[in-house]
């Protein structure tokens, strides 16, 4: 059983300006994704939208042993992570296919594997 994080990046300002029917279309797309996951035997461990990035707290070392805490996102970018899915599956390839189908409906996704217990992936080549 493997675990995966699906991040949902989106331009928050543009999303806020969309008409209600576009928001409804997005909700129907997520509902379909939930049904597809269940039908494929994949488990949703957690799923949630996130509060706007302007309400985030960023914490960074200050270089002298302390921490600098600031309001707002850690990085300035056109897109922010607006939600996530934490998923568990026995069939990663099938899960990737479902995520690909989800993206074809206009969703932006970043699919990430969680490091398994006992593994230490620090981004280096294997």
């Amino acid at each position: 059983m493997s675990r995966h994080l699906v991040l949902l990046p989106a331009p928050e300002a543009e999303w806020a300006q969309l008409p209600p029917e576009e928001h409804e279309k997005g909700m129907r797309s997520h509902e379909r994704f939930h049904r597809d996951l269940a039908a494929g035997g994949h488990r949703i461990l957690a799923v949630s939208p996130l509060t706007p990035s302007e309400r985030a707290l960023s914490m960074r070392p200050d270089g002298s042993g302390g921490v600098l805490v600031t309001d707002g996102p850690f990085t300035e970018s056109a897109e922010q992570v607006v939600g996530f899915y934490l998923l568990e599956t026995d069939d990663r390839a099938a899960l990737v296919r479902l995520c690909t189908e989800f993206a074809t409906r206009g969703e932006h996704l970043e699919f990430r594997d969680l490091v398994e217990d006992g593994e230490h992936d620090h981004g280096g080549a294997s």
Side-chain angles (χ1 to χ4, degrees):
M1 188 80 48
S2 59
R3 291 183 176 185
H4 310 276
L5 185 63
V6 175
L7 299 171
L8 305 171
E12 287 177 325
E14 288 179 29
W15 176 252
Q17 301 297 325
L18 291 175
E21 54 272 8
E22 287 298 314
H23 288 269
E24 285 297 318
K25 180 181 168 188
M27 292 305 295
R28 286 191 306 273
S29 177
H30 281 269
E31 290 167 359
R32 180 174 169 191
F33 186 53
H34 291 203
R35 288 191 306 271
D36 292 346
L37 289 167
H42 313 288
R43 285 189 37 211
I44 298 174
L45 301 178
V47 60
S48 184
L50 299 172
T51 59
S53 61
E54 67 187 20
R55 293 176 37 198
L57 289 177
S58 295
M59 299 164 204
R60 308 170 193 237
D62 68 4
S64 63
V67 174
L68 176 63
V69 179
T70 57
D71 293 332
F74 188 73
T75 59
E76 296 293 327
S77 66
E79 292 184 338
Q80 298 76 32
V81 176
V82 298
F84 72 94
Y85 284 87
L86 178 59
L87 305 171
E88 188 172 61
T89 187
D90 285 323
D91 189 346
R92 182 185 185 279
L95 179 57
V96 169
R97 280 192 300 277
L98 284 179
C99 289
T100 301
E101 290 171 18
F102 187 35
T104 65
R105 295 192 297 271
E107 306 297 336
H108 296 213
L109 309 178
E110 181 177 333
F111 185 94
R112 304 282 297 270
D113 299 322
L114 271 65
V115 175
E116 299 293 329
D117 290 340
E119 282 186 43
H120 298 287
D121 182 355
H122 298 287
S126 353

